[in-house]
Amino acid sequence: MAAVPSGSNVWSTVGRNDTFAHWREVVCQAFTKLTPERIADGPFAGEIRLSPFGGMGTFSRITASPQRVVRRRRDVEDRPCDAVFVNIQVSGTSAVRQRGIETRLAPGSFVMLDARQPFDMRFDRNFRQICMHLPMALLDAHGFDPAKAVARSVGRDDVFGAALLDSVDAILDEEDTEGSPDHLVHLLRLSYGGGRSDMLADQHLRHIKRFVAGNCADPAISPRAVSAHFRISVRHLHKLFARSGVTFGQFLLRCRLRKARIALLLHPRRPIVEISLEAGFQSPSHFSRCFVREFGLTPSAMRRLC
């Protein structure tokens, strides 16, 4: 690794008699309020080298003896921290637990922890880690909710995980001077499947909406019929629509109303009842109520605008 850049902080237990007591203070200064605990007898040593990154994040290179580090509920309340930690295992192993999820980290893998909630880390042997500290505002800007990513290990067997690890190495070795927190958050989001699943879900929803719009006049169209056509469950169909903030029923109604509006304007002599039935409505009165709610005019009033 390259020398620590200017503006960085270095904490070490070297030359201290009260090594672990000092270490507890060091950890809280470098990150947030945490509770380190000794799990082995004998000498203890630890060092943290913290470097600012991109004006929003930090990197910390940690070398230390076996220990357990806990962020307790009391720690969260005493010192709130609106951020995530991305811990990259360099050597040794660690066991991590948050929100009832447990995982083990081997060298070349990383895990995300949400500092707004309690978590637990255990290191049974001497270890080295890189800790990336990212503010929650940065994740929010990328539409990345860490809720489904915490305590999940990602390694080099994942193409995006490998890209993230390579980017971090290049930044710390000062081979990449263009890297930014935004770039790493983007890779982080892809590593946890958010980008890929979002793109596939959005594409799937577009196909479904196109199908519903093209068949909205069919009285038999329903969540069950559409789900069967696309070979998905009704529950999954509703989850896809929930992504857009509009339910299946709302979307179908909107398609039918727009179809009826076009027919009203293009065919001023056709009976309104006939147009409503051809648009998929079973009740003329229901059609009129929905039309007024959507467009602010009755079907007859809109027709008179022609």
Side-chain angles (χ1 to χ4, degrees):
M1 293 289 180
V4 179
S6 60
S8 301
N9 289 313
V10 179
W11 294 274
S12 175
T13 59
V14 173
R16 303 284 306 203
N17 294 324
D18 56 341
T19 54
F20 202 75
H22 179 64
W23 180 251
R24 287 196 187 99
E25 296 177 5
V26 160
V27 166
C28 293
Q29 288 179 46
F31 305 110
T32 185
K33 189 168 184 182
L34 301 167
T35 305
E37 300 174 359
R38 293 210 65 173
I39 60 172
D41 296 328
F44 179 89
E47 179 184 84
I48 299 173
R49 294 177 169 241
L50 183 147
S51 305
F53 172 56
M56 295 188 73
T58 62
F59 281 116
S60 298
R61 285 170 280 193
I62 307 160
T63 304
S65 301
Q67 61 187 289
R68 181 186 178 208
V69 181
V70 183
R71 182 153 169 82
R72 303 168 300 177
R73 178 68 61 187
R74 189 193 319 160
D75 297 331
V76 174
E77 294 170 353
D78 288 348
R79 196 191 300 179
C81 180
D82 200 23
V84 296
F85 298 118
V86 181
N87 293 346
I88 303 170
Q89 198 75 28
V90 178
S91 67
T93 61
S94 60
V96 178
R97 184 173 74 248
Q98 186 170 45
R99 296 180 61 188
I101 304 169
E102 297 186 24
T103 192
R104 292 195 68 84
L105 281 187
S109 61
F110 61 86
V111 70
M112 181 190 296
L113 296 171
D114 188 339
R116 299 172 300 180
Q117 300 175 2
F119 59 77
D120 190 319
M121 301 181 291
R122 184 181 177 93
F123 307 89
D124 288 326
R125 294 181 293 171
N126 293 346
F127 70 94
R128 287 187 296 138
Q129 271 195 348
I130 296 169
C131 177
M132 182 164 52
H133 175 279
L134 297 169
M136 199 62 64
L138 187 59
L139 274 67
D140 291 341
H142 286 261
F144 182 19
D145 181 0
K148 295 183 179 179
V150 295
R152 284 177 49 200
S153 173
V154 178
R156 287 193 172 276
D157 55 340
D158 178 270
V159 62
F160 297 111
L164 175 70
L165 291 167
D166 288 342
S167 293
V168 170
D169 284 343
I171 291 167
L172 290 176
D173 288 336
E174 298 184 347
E175 296 171 0
D176 180 4
T177 58
E178 302 296 325
S180 69
D182 286 294
H183 169 67
L184 293 182
V185 170
H186 179 64
L187 288 176
L188 194 62
R189 183 169 180 262
L190 292 173
S191 298
Y192 283 106
R196 288 169 289 181
S197 61
D198 285 352
M199 288 186 287
L200 289 173
D202 290 342
Q203 185 179 38
H204 203 184
L205 182 59
R206 282 194 296 271
H207 288 312
I208 292 171
K209 284 185 170 181
R210 197 175 298 125
F211 174 81
V212 172
N215 295 274
C216 65
D218 183 356
I221 196 166
S222 66
R224 186 174 296 279
V226 174
S227 298
H229 178 82
F230 285 94
R231 298 182 180 179
I232 60 175
S233 68
V234 174
R235 180 183 178 188
H236 185 60
L237 177 73
H238 288 308
K239 285 179 67 176
L240 287 173
F241 271 94
R243 294 171 56 82
S244 66
V246 177
T247 67
F248 175 90
Q250 290 169 335
F251 180 76
L252 176 60
L253 176 61
R254 196 168 294 168
C255 290
R256 286 174 170 170
L257 288 169
R258 289 173 180 173
K259 183 179 180 68
R261 180 178 61 175
I262 292 171
L264 282 168
L265 297 175
L266 294 181
H267 307 286
R269 297 184 180 277
R270 288 184 61 190
I272 292 177
V273 171
E274 182 180 308
I275 287 175
S276 69
L277 291 173
E278 287 189 358
F281 290 91
Q282 301 299 300
S283 164
S285 60
H286 175 63
F287 165 67
S288 294
R289 287 195 302 271
C290 293
F291 196 93
V292 171
R293 192 182 307 124
E294 181 74 11
F295 303 117
L297 294 170
T298 65
S300 300
M302 179 164 286
R303 172 169 275 177
R304 285 195 294 270
L305 295 176
C306 298

